[in-house]
Amino acid sequence: INPDSGIFQPDDHLEYFRFFGRVLGRALFDRQLLSHHLGQYLYKYMTNSSPFSFKDLKLINKDLYDALQDLGCKENVDSLGLNFTTKDKDFFGHLKEVEVVDGGSTKLVTKDNLQEYIESCFVYWMFSRVEPQLTELLLGVFDVLPRSILRVFEPSELDFLLCGLKEIDTNDWKNNTLYSGTYADKRENQEVCQWFWEVVKLEFKHMDKRRLLRFVTGSCGVPCTGFSELHGDDGHVQKFIIHGVPWKEHPFP
């Protein structure tokens, strides 16, 4: 999520986040798969089923996560001259100093308030930094699916529903394939079909399989229930089909 999203669309940039949230909600409702995974912390916002932990900061700003961990182990924090600010980049990549509490630039970090400083940095990076955009995105999701429904899912389960299986099981693919045309009788025993599955199973890498699947079906992945619930580009269940045509009538692919 870009905290500077309002630079080019200052009047309606938040409407785009609301719209994207509705698209996510609709994808879940219609069991449509996304081609890319979202950050795990975004699923936590959506489900509210798992509490945020300090480790979640690592997904957003690993350098800050490592620095705060090291800072928590230091004994002489008072001598470092730190205040309640953090460094962030603006849209053009320039570093800027941001107060993580009111008056943070004048509030020094000491051994006594070190934990407060770490928590304030965590809250800024996880919530305050993108609060307007995040709020609209979540409201968009909840326009389609009530939060009470999403709370039953763990973040990993929501990722599973939105993006499908991480690995493509060629055997499951083959077992749930239909054959038509000149291949209807012999099915997978037809020589050309055997060649097809040999290439897919032995020569295709994972990304090649995903590309083939998307080219043929319009689906970018496999549902969590496997190929038996594969969806076509119209949103309906459509199993993978290999159709044979007489080569004398159709000599070209």
Side-chain angles (χ1 to χ4, degrees), residues 12-223:
D12 58 0
H13 69 106
L14 293 180
E15 294 180 12
Y16 289 94
F17 286 92
R18 186 69 169 255
F19 172 74
F20 179 64
R22 288 172 177 168
V23 170
L24 286 179
R26 190 69 190 186
L28 278 169
F29 186 82
D30 290 336
R31 296 184 296 175
Q32 295 298 303
L33 299 180
L34 303 181
S35 57
H36 297 283
H37 294 266
L38 302 179
Q40 287 296 315
Y41 61 93
L42 285 177
Y43 295 123
K44 283 193 173 184
Y45 291 128
M46 292 167 63
T47 62
N48 201 29
S49 59
S50 301
F52 281 91
S53 67
F54 182 67
K55 289 184 178 180
D56 292 319
L57 180 60
K58 189 175 182 179
L59 300 173
I60 296 179
N61 191 330
K62 185 179 183 302
D63 292 337
L64 179 65
Y65 170 80
D66 293 337
L68 291 178
Q69 272 201 319
D70 292 340
L71 186 63
C73 299
K74 292 186 180 296
E75 295 292 336
N76 56 340
V77 178
D78 302 53
S79 63
L80 298 178
L82 299 175
N83 54 22
F84 274 64
T85 61
T86 185
K87 297 293 184 180
D88 197 359
K89 289 184 178 180
D90 61 19
F91 180 80
F92 301 101
H94 302 142
L95 282 177
K96 60 181 180 180
E97 188 176 85
V98 180
E99 294 182 339
V100 293
V101 298
D102 292 337
S105 59
T106 59
K107 184 176 181 179
L108 295 178
V109 178
T110 65
K111 185 177 180 179
D112 295 332
N113 63 19
L114 175 60
Q115 190 60 38
E116 180 190 353
Y117 171 69
I118 294 176
E119 291 177 358
S120 298
C121 287
F122 174 81
V123 170
Y124 168 76
W125 281 92
M126 294 299 300
F127 304 102
S128 306
R129 182 171 178 262
V130 292
E131 183 176 2
Q133 295 87 346
L134 178 61
T135 299
E136 289 300 318
L137 187 149
L138 293 178
L139 287 175
V141 174
F142 302 148
D143 284 344
V144 181
L145 292 172
R147 192 168 202 168
S148 57
I149 293 178
L150 297 177
R151 280 178 178 170
V152 302
F153 297 105
E154 292 294 325
S156 58
E157 294 172 335
L158 204 57
D159 177 68
F160 199 36
L161 289 174
L162 271 173
C163 301
L165 299 173
K166 293 183 179 180
E167 298 295 331
I168 294 180
D169 186 344
T170 308
N171 291 327
D172 181 44
W173 189 350
K174 183 177 180 180
N175 293 335
N176 286 281
T177 294
L178 302 178
Y179 300 85
S180 61
T182 57
Y183 299 157
D185 294 333
K186 292 186 176 181
R187 296 168 54 82
E188 67 270 15
N189 295 320
Q190 212 282 339
E191 187 176 26
V192 174
C193 295
Q194 291 178 344
W195 292 342
F196 173 82
W197 290 117
E198 182 179 340
V199 171
V200 172
K201 188 171 185 178
L202 301 180
E203 298 185 22
F204 274 21
K205 297 180 180 179
H206 175 70
M207 188 53 65
D208 296 325
K209 295 177 183 178
R210 290 179 67 92
R211 288 170 179 165
L212 171 63
L213 189 64
R214 183 157 195 169
F215 175 76
V216 177
T217 68
S219 176
C220 56
V222 184

